Amino acid sequence: MEPLILTTGRLRLRPPSPADTDDILAACQDTEIQRWIPVPSPYERQHAEDFTGRMVPDGWSRDTEYTFAVEPRGGGPVIAALSLHHPRPGTWEVGFWTAREHRGRGYMTEAVTAVARWAFTALAAERLEWRAEVGNAGSRAVAEKAGFAVEGVLRAGLLNKGTLRDCWIGALLPSDLGLPSVHPYLPARAVRADTAENGPVPVPDVPART
């Protein structure tokens, strides 16, 4: 995949470059980012340089991870970063962080929505997943505002700082954004807790009249 630029009403999303090393290094000194995001801790210049100089271009060239730096559309410092990673047939996973001083303004919700639309239209993705360690309320708030449905908790579903942690998982589908999907989707019908002789009893689509 050739690196590309996405824009929203307020933001410009582009691949990070070595020129962004200082901004990324500064943002990743935040204790919240180091707590919840699987980045090195302490986060040192060598880590930021490796990220912008090797990890980002390798991900784009190998189609394994598409990383974007987020900046104001009119220009300015890097205020956030997000990526699509862990590709599987029809599915990508999104991850993100926002610099402390730029949180609470809806920037990441705007950026995630733009990347989701790109994934569904340009990458033919049929499912976009989000994971965050249980307790990361800020990440969950962004995901839900972007339209993700939180589907449950995965035990030992996230590796961070050498420790497996329980994580929330959520998903966004093309239909959630009013977009078509490559394949039709047939949701499961609700099933009553009681069972009949041949197994669970599907709940009728229309309540019975009395």
Side-chain angles (χ1 to χ4, degrees), residues 27-45:
C28 289
Q29 300 310 302
D30 177 28
T31 56
E32 290 294 297
I33 289 178
Q34 292 191 24
R35 165 64 182 88
W36 298 112
I37 305 298
V39 298
S41 182
Y43 194 87
E44 301 175 346
R45 172 165 289 277

Side-chain angles (χ1 to χ4, degrees), residues 43-58:
Y43 194 87
E44 301 175 346
R45 172 165 289 277
Q46 61 181 326
H47 301 129
E49 291 175 344
D50 186 55
F51 175 70
T52 59
R54 181 187 63 83
M55 294 175 63
V56 169
D58 283 358

Side-chain angles (χ1 to χ4, degrees), residues 121-134:
T121 56
L123 304 180
E126 297 184 290
R127 176 179 164 93
L128 188 59
E129 293 183 346
W130 155 87
R131 301 185 190 203
E133 184 180 341
V134 172

Side-chain angles (χ1 to χ4, degrees), residues 10-28:
R10 298 183 295 170
L11 305 172
R12 183 172 181 262
L13 285 63
R14 56 166 179 78
S17 73
D20 301 312
T21 298
D22 287 344
D23 286 346
I24 291 171
L25 175 63
C28 289

Side-chain angles (χ1 to χ4, degrees), residues 38-210:
V39 298
S41 182
Y43 194 87
E44 301 175 346
R45 172 165 289 277
Q46 61 181 326
H47 301 129
E49 291 175 344
D50 186 55
F51 175 70
T52 59
R54 181 187 63 83
M55 294 175 63
V56 169
D58 283 358
W60 280 91
S61 65
R62 298 173 183 174
D63 294 317
T64 56
E65 183 165 11
Y66 303 137
T67 302
F68 295 90
V70 181
E71 63 185 9
R73 187 165 180 172
V78 173
I79 61 178
L82 76 162
S83 72
L84 294 179
H85 49 265
H86 292 159
R88 304 187 302 283
T91 302
W92 288 80
E93 183 176 329
V94 65
F96 48 82
W97 56 256
T98 304
R100 176 183 291 275
E101 61 271 27
H102 298 288
R103 294 173 194 159
R105 305 179 191 179
Y107 290 144
M108 187 49 69
T109 300
E110 191 172 321
V112 168
T113 301
V115 168
R117 288 185 173 276
W118 175 69
F120 292 141
T121 56
L123 304 180
E126 297 184 290
R127 176 179 164 93
L128 188 59
E129 293 183 346
W130 155 87
R131 301 185 190 203
E133 184 180 341
V134 172
N136 189 349
S139 181
R140 178 166 178 162
V142 168
E144 291 182 327
K145 288 176 183 177
F148 283 75
V150 178
E151 299 174 332
V153 173
L154 299 180
R155 296 187 303 157
L158 186 67
L159 180 65
N160 188 3
K161 312 296 188 294
T163 300
L164 289 169
R165 304 163 191 265
D166 293 346
C167 70
W168 290 312
I169 183 168
L172 187 71
L173 305 180
S175 58
D176 296 328
L177 299 180
L179 298 172
S181 181
V182 175
H183 296 99
Y185 168 46
L186 179 63
R189 295 175 64 188
V191 176
R192 290 206 307 255
D194 57 323
T195 59
E197 180 180 352
N198 294 321
V201 179
V203 176
D205 292 329
V206 179
R209 294 181 180 273
T210 58

